[in-house]
Amino acid sequence: MKLHRKFLRGLTVLSCLGSLAFAGPASAQVSDDVVKLGVLTDMSGQYSDMNGSGSLLAAQMAAADFGGKVLGKPIEVIGADHQQKADIGLGIARQWIESDKVDAVVDVTNSAIALAVQQLTRETNRVALFSSPGTTDLTGKACSPTGFQWVYDNYSNVVGPVKALIEKGNDTFFIITADFAFGHSLEKIATEAIKANGGKLLGSIRHPFGANDLSAFLLPAQASQAKVILLATAGKDLTTAIKQASEFGITAGGQTLSAPVVFLTDIHALGLSSAQGMSFLEGFYWDQNDETRAFAKRFFEVRKTMPTSLQAGVYSEVLHYLKAVQAAGTDEAKAVAAKMRELPVNDFFARSGRVREDGRMVHDMLLVRVKKPAESKGPWDYYNVVATVPGDQVFLPLTQSECSLVKK
């Protein structure tokens, strides 16, 4: 399969057209005679490795694997860079919906932009497929009938690890937080988890997005003598913090770094010598089985990197969306959303996954530990999978949800 590579320049991409095996009945209703998806992501900033053009590629692959058509109409995939700016991201999404007739907005790296897009898609009756943002508000108080959160969220990645740390005697914490919606959500959930499990929060501090030097934020954490320094941040900010913590002797001095939201590209940037021994939850690992390796090989042929869980999640959510369009016989958002909740999610990313009424896709997560350099067979061979954690044990229970769609 050959994929059009103009995505590398952020231009419109028409997915490869394949067989008509998925063509629908003549009476099927498809707006504008095309099913169009827009991948809104970070193409040039600090999250571009974990998302970026790789997310666009994953969406292309899903469309092509579906056959290039649904209900007899072509599938089109376009992409754009929101530049980590909410006004730019929302403006692109609005133009896509109002002028370019986009049916679903995909990925949306950045929680603040995602919340704005969620509101827009609710008002305009479009579907939002979120792979990257961590805020639980997307399936909580800001939930939408047509909004879906696929890979992880801040609850899934912080509550279990915090509980495990406290059970091992690491009961005092200092939190370093990225000062925007994602970090605020992660800090709030971590604080609640610390208190609920008998731990104590000794302090917290917030750093600006895209900081080149985090020493001013690490030193108060070190001085607090907290047993655990929890890094409520991600991307290059996270890798900067970990590298500088090592330089300052923080881990050598006995304090533990906890980084709840880590991805494969972060480990690649850190190197195994710095990252070895880190444990965290992941939604996907390319070297799990034959199916994940087959997808990763195809992805690598174009991207020259292995896919992150976020990029694999884009493939999964787009494929599920297309199956729902097929099953619904239309691309009308509410009808498609109902089918997305009805159909099980079964692909290389998730086995027996299910979409809850709040839009949360529940699937098993992987507890991974980063390999020592001597254990790795080569580039991208970075994880040992320690355990598979059932989705019902990972994600926020519906009984605790603030989503208005959840029946009480």
Side-chain angles (χ1 to χ4, degrees):
M1 180 191 66
K2 294 183 179 179
L3 296 174
H4 203 302
R5 299 192 183 186
K6 285 188 178 179
F7 70 90
L8 291 173
R9 297 189 293 273
L11 299 178
T12 298
V13 179
L14 180 64
S15 291
C16 302
L17 299 183
S19 72
L20 300 181
F22 291 94
S27 60
Q29 299 296 311
V30 173
S31 59
D32 308 297
D33 290 325
V34 62
V35 174
K36 186 179 288 190
L37 300 100
V39 179
L40 184 60
T41 189
D42 181 351
M43 294 283 192
S44 56
Q46 65 161 293
Y47 297 157
S48 57
D49 289 341
M50 66 180 71
N51 297 108
S53 54
S55 290
L56 185 51
L57 170 61
Q60 287 180 262
M61 292 173 69
D65 288 353
F66 195 78
K69 289 188 176 183
V70 59
L71 300 175
K73 304 299 182 181
I75 304 164
E76 188 175 350
V77 181
I78 62 176
D81 184 358
H82 56 50
Q83 301 176 44
Q84 294 291 350
K85 296 177 181 178
D87 57 340
I88 291 176
L90 185 59
I92 291 169
R94 189 177 298 280
Q95 177 182 322
W96 277 354
I97 291 169
E98 295 178 354
S99 301
D100 301 332
K101 309 304 181 183
V102 162
D103 298 293
V105 181
V106 183
D107 194 18
V108 198
T109 319
N110 185 301
S111 290
I113 300 173
L115 288 167
V117 168
Q118 175 109 308
Q119 179 64 27
L120 175 65
T121 53
R122 182 193 294 112
E123 294 171 352
T124 56
N125 194 34
R126 295 296 191 274
V127 170
L129 304 171
F130 299 113
S131 168
S132 307
T135 178
T136 54
D137 286 349
L138 289 169
T139 51
K141 61 185 180 182
C143 70
S144 166
T146 58
F148 301 91
Q149 196 167 19
W150 216 253
V151 177
Y152 82 107
D153 57 42
N154 289 341
Y155 183 96
S156 70
N157 282 34
V158 75
V159 173
V162 164
K163 181 179 179 181
L165 284 165
I166 292 173
E167 287 175 348
K168 292 180 180 179
N170 296 303
D171 56 0
T172 57
F173 291 75
F174 190 100
I175 303 177
I176 299 177
T177 304
D179 193 12
F180 62 103
F182 159 78
H184 299 170
S185 169
L186 191 54
E187 179 185 342
K188 179 177 182 291
I189 293 168
T191 299
E192 292 171 352
I194 291 165
K195 293 178 180 178
N197 289 281
K200 185 177 182 181
L201 181 63
L202 301 185
S204 63
I205 192 169
R206 293 181 174 181
H207 72 78
F209 178 77
N212 293 321
D213 183 1
L214 291 173
S215 58
F217 307 94
L218 286 163
L219 292 176
Q222 184 179 34
S224 75
Q225 298 185 6
K227 294 177 182 178
V228 180
I229 299 174
L230 191 147
L231 301 173
T233 188
K236 291 180 181 177
D237 285 336
L238 175 65
T239 57
T240 296
I242 292 172
K243 289 176 180 178
Q244 290 190 321
S246 177
E247 293 169 3
F248 296 156
I250 289 176
T251 50
Q255 289 175 294
T256 296
L257 287 183
S258 174
V261 182
V262 184
F263 301 104
L264 189 70
T265 45
D266 297 323
I267 304 304
H268 189 72
L270 284 166
L272 292 182
S273 59
S274 296
Q276 61 182 310
M278 290 177 63
S279 292
F280 45 88
L281 289 179
E282 266 276 33
F284 162 89
Y285 181 45
W286 71 268
D287 200 18
Q288 288 172 253
N289 53 52
D290 289 344
E291 285 185 282
T292 59
R293 285 187 285 271
F295 168 74
K297 180 180 179 182
R298 293 166 54 208
F299 185 95
F300 187 87
E301 286 174 354
V302 178
R303 180 86 168 134
K304 305 309 177 187
T305 65
M306 287 301 180
T308 64
S309 59
L310 303 178
Q311 293 158 341
V314 166
Y315 180 101
S316 177
E317 66 191 7
V318 168
L319 189 66
H320 192 71
Y321 169 81
L322 294 173
K323 290 177 180 178
V325 171
Q326 176 71 31
T330 178
D331 62 354
E332 191 277 324
K334 289 186 175 63
V336 174
K339 286 296 181 182
M340 288 186 69
R341 288 175 168 86
E342 178 184 322
L343 298 173
V345 182
N346 280 306
D347 53 35
F348 68 79
F349 179 84
R351 292 297 182 202
S352 300
R354 58 186 177 86
V355 181
R356 300 191 314 197
E357 54 203 277
D358 61 351
R360 170 73 261 170
M361 199 278 275
V362 177
H363 59 97
D364 296 345
M365 296 280 280
L366 304 174
L367 176 62
V368 301
R369 181 178 295 115
V370 178
K371 292 182 175 183
K372 297 177 181 178
E375 296 178 296
S376 175
K377 298 175 183 177
W380 306 105
D381 178 29
Y382 295 155
Y383 294 165
N384 283 314
V385 177
V386 177
T388 299
V389 186
D392 287 337
Q393 297 179 20
V394 171
F395 294 102
L396 179 76
L398 273 180
T399 54
Q400 298 178 31
S401 175
E402 296 180 83
C403 176
S404 60
L405 302 173
V406 177
K407 298 175 183 178
K408 301 296 184 181

